[in-house]
Amino acid sequence: KMLLSSVKSCLSTRRLERLFSVAPARGMDVICPTIGLSPERAEFYHMARAFADSELRPFASKWDRECSFPHETFKKLGEIGFGGWLVSEVNGGTALKRADVMPIIEGLATGCVSTTALLTIQNANALVIDKHGTEEQRKRWLPGLLKMEKLVSFCLTEPG
C-alpha cells in the first residue's frame, strides 16, 4: 500500500492507467535467451526458435486436443539435423556438446514442450546406441533414428 500510494503521488492518474493497462511482459519480452551465448550457440537458438514458431506452436494445441503424434514434424526435425545432437559425426550425428544443445531445446520448447521432450528422449537413445552399441547395431538403427524415420523411447521403473 505504501508503495502504491508513493507511486500515485508521483504520477498522474492518467499516466498510471496507461502504465498498468499494458499487458504483462512474457517470454522473450522479459529477457533475451541468447544473452551470454557464443554467436554459434545463439544461432542454434534462433534456428530452433524459427522452427518452433513455424512448425510447432501453430499445431501444438491441435496435437494435444486430438491426441496425435506429429510424425511429419519429427521427420522435418531429422532433416535439419536435430535427430542426433550428441551422436558422433562418424555415425551420422552432429557431435554437438551438451552446452550447444541447451539453446536448441530452449528454442524448440517455446513452440511445444512435449514434442521437445520427446525429441530429447529420441536423442538420448541415439546417443546410447552410438556410445554403447555394437557396430552392427549402429548401422542398423542410427540412420533411421537420426532421420526420425524410426522412433524409440525407454521405460523406467522403481524397484518393488
Side-chain angles (χ1 to χ4, degrees):
K1 285 184 178 180
M2 284 183 65
L3 177 62
L4 185 57
S5 65
S6 174
V7 169
K8 281 185 179 179
S9 68
C10 294
L11 299 171
S12 69
T13 304
R14 188 170 179 205
R15 181 157 160 78
L16 276 175
E17 288 172 1
R18 279 197 316 254
L19 284 173
F20 292 103
S21 66
V22 176
R26 302 184 340 250
M28 286 192 52
D29 300 329
V30 176
I31 187 167
C32 179
T34 59
I35 291 174
L37 295 180
S38 69
E40 184 178 48
R41 288 182 181 149
E43 185 60 32
F44 290 155
Y45 174 84
H46 291 301
M47 181 179 172
R49 179 66 191 254
F51 188 92
D53 289 346
S54 65
E55 302 293 334
L56 299 179
R57 185 176 304 105
F59 311 105
S61 62
K62 179 181 183 241
W63 296 331
D64 287 346
R65 203 173 39 257
E66 295 176 359
C67 299
S68 62
F69 183 83
H71 291 281
E72 292 307 311
T73 303
F74 260 65
K75 287 181 182 177
K76 289 178 184 178
L77 286 162
E79 289 170 12
I80 61 173
F82 285 1
W85 296 322
L86 302 171
V87 172
S88 64
E89 289 181 270
V90 71
N91 287 319
T94 53
L96 296 176
K97 295 181 165 87
R98 291 186 190 276
D100 297 330
V101 174
M102 292 315 300
I104 296 170
I105 292 171
E106 289 176 4
L108 291 173
T110 65
C112 183
V113 172
S114 58
T115 301
T116 304
L118 291 170
L119 180 63
T120 64
I121 292 167
Q122 177 85 1
N123 271 275
N125 282 292
L127 177 62
V128 169
I129 294 169
D130 180 47
K131 295 277 186 195
H132 305 289
T134 64
E135 192 58 36
E136 180 185 331
Q137 290 169 329
R138 286 186 203 103
K139 285 180 181 176
R140 178 179 176 194
W141 293 102
L142 287 177
L145 295 179
L146 300 182
K147 291 178 187 171
M148 304 291 202
E149 293 168 352
K150 295 180 182 179
L151 302 176
V152 292
S153 192
F154 58 87
C155 181
L156 297 175
T157 186
E158 295 292 331

